[in-house]
Amino acid sequence: MTIDDMDRKLLAALQEDAGQSYAALGEIAGLSAGSAHERVRKLKAAGVIRRTTIEVDPAALGRGVLAYVLLEANAWMGDSREALLDIPAVDEAHIIAGPASVLVKVRTTTTEDLQATLRALHAVDGVTSTQTVVVLESFFERQPAVV
Amino acid sequence: MTIDDMDRKLLAALQEDAGQSYAALGEIAGLSAGSAHERVRKLKAAGVIRRTTIEVDPAALGRGVLAYVLLEANAWMGDSREALLDIPAVDEAHIIAGPASVLVKVRTTTTEDLQATLRALHAVDGVTSTQTVVVLESFFERQPAVV
DNA sequence: GATGAAACCTAGCCGGT
DNA sequence: ACCGGCTAGGTTTCATC
């Protein structure tokens, strides 16, 4: 799909507030409400917009401890996707180039919970060791910029 | 704020689809539409719900290269927040305990752009060295689970 | 704090340009 | 591909319990 400047304006506006009316969106992009509606529909159909969702404060849910864990594995971890999905504390999992095999982002309530999560990660098939980086303070976490 | 089980159901439903009606939300949580509306309003006012937004496919925006960068610094980087915010490729920045000082999440169009971003990170005040971990494949990226 | 109804507003579809 | 009007449905408010 070709994304032009109007689409980018619409995407940026929706990232800030997905609840605003198509009339307001049209004004931002220099379009009528109907046209804005049509473009957003196409962006959704093309998969550029995956879904509309809410941004929740993790600390309010009791998920104030953030850590990244490097998993070293002795086998290809391609089949470990589901095992990692089943650990609720794991928000992200990536196969990486470099010293370890998989990088995992973890949020827990307490450091004790973090310990329990590390045990769960150790139990995943193929994992031989973990290296944990605890976040002391987050400067910011934002969505991919619509350049 | 006290978050009970109904609130959690509402939050989980809104994470999946923030566009659904309050009537549907009420049905999920076992509430009337008006009550569902009232609870969501309070969750927003309390900051549990930060905002409603869209989830955009990074690759569709030409941000298909994902990497994590560890920044070693020779000084306290507390004042570097704005400098990192100004680099559009940087999606997250965290002060960490461990080998380096700051962990940064970066999305770029190409590996050449990644190089340019690394140069920009080197130029940030206090940064003495960088260590880059390139993501080969993302298993998943999801939002903090509402447990 | 929850409910149900009533007024207002918006989304979503239409044909026309 | 954009625009304007129409209609059903949803949001939002209010009185009530």
Side-chain angles (χ1 to χ4, degrees):
Chain A
M1 173 172 185
T2 7
I3 297 173
D4 64 12
D5 209 56
M6 287 174 182
D7 291 325
R8 267 183 277 271
K9 281 181 184 169
L10 291 172
L11 289 170
L14 286 169
Q15 269 189 346
E16 267 194 48
D17 177 12
Q20 59 192 306
S21 72
Y22 285 110
L25 288 171
E27 200 160 348
I28 289 170
L31 254 49
S32 78
S35 301
H37 181 45
E38 175 68 5
R39 296 188 89 123
V40 171
R41 191 193 60 74
K42 284 182 183 169
L43 287 167
K44 282 179 181 165
V48 178
I49 298 177
R50 288 203 185 122
R51 59 174 172 173
T52 75
T53 182
I54 54 169
E55 193 181 296
V56 176
D57 179 15
L61 294 171
R63 305 279 298 282
V65 176
L66 173 61
Y68 285 88
V69 184
L70 288 159
L71 303 180
E72 188 107 30
N74 62 5
W76 180 240
M77 286 190 63
D79 297 328
S80 305
R81 190 175 169 277
E82 273 71 30
L84 294 172
L85 267 173
D86 283 347
I87 306 174
V90 174
D91 284 355
E92 301 181 17
H94 311 277
I95 297 186
I96 59 174
S101 299
V102 174
L103 177 61
V104 163
K105 183 180 187 176
V106 166
R107 281 186 205 275
T108 60
T109 306
T110 62
T111 47
E112 286 83 38
D113 283 346
L114 177 56
Q115 239 181 93
T117 302
L118 290 175
R119 263 198 300 278
L121 288 171
H122 263 293
V124 172
D125 244 24
V127 173
T128 55
S129 73
T130 64
Q131 190 183 337
T132 306
V133 175
V134 177
V135 170
L136 302 178
E137 182 198 341
S138 288
F139 277 154
F140 57 87
E141 293 179 82
R142 63 183 172 188
Q143 294 166 297
V146 181
V147 184
Chain B
M1 172 170 187
T2 7
I3 297 175
D4 64 12
D5 209 55
M6 287 174 182
D7 291 325
R8 267 184 276 271
K9 281 181 184 167
L10 291 172
L11 289 171
L14 286 170
Q15 270 189 344
E16 267 195 48
D17 178 10
Q20 60 193 304
S21 72
Y22 286 110
L25 289 170
E27 202 160 347
I28 290 170
L31 255 49
S32 75
S35 300
H37 184 272
E38 175 68 6
R39 297 195 101 142
V40 172
R41 192 193 60 74
K42 283 182 184 169
L43 286 167
K44 282 179 182 165
V48 178
I49 298 176
R50 289 203 183 121
R51 58 175 172 174
T52 76
T53 182
I54 54 171
E55 194 180 297
V56 175
D57 178 14
L61 294 171
R63 307 278 300 280
V65 176
L66 174 60
Y68 284 89
V69 185
L70 289 158
L71 303 180
E72 186 106 30
N74 62 6
W76 180 241
M77 285 192 63
D79 297 329
S80 305
R81 190 174 169 278
E82 274 72 29
L84 293 172
L85 267 172
D86 283 346
I87 304 174
V90 175
D91 284 355
E92 300 181 16
H94 310 279
I95 297 186
I96 58 173
S101 300
V102 174
L103 177 61
V104 163
K105 183 180 188 176
V106 166
R107 280 187 206 274
T108 60
T109 307
T110 63
T111 47
E112 287 83 39
D113 282 348
L114 177 56
Q115 241 182 90
T117 302
L118 290 175
R119 264 198 301 278
L121 289 171
H122 263 294
V124 172
D125 245 23
V127 173
T128 55
S129 73
T130 64
Q131 191 183 338
T132 306
V133 174
V134 177
V135 171
L136 301 178
E137 181 197 341
S138 288
F139 277 155
F140 58 85
E141 294 179 80
R142 63 183 173 189
Q143 293 166 298
V146 181
V147 184

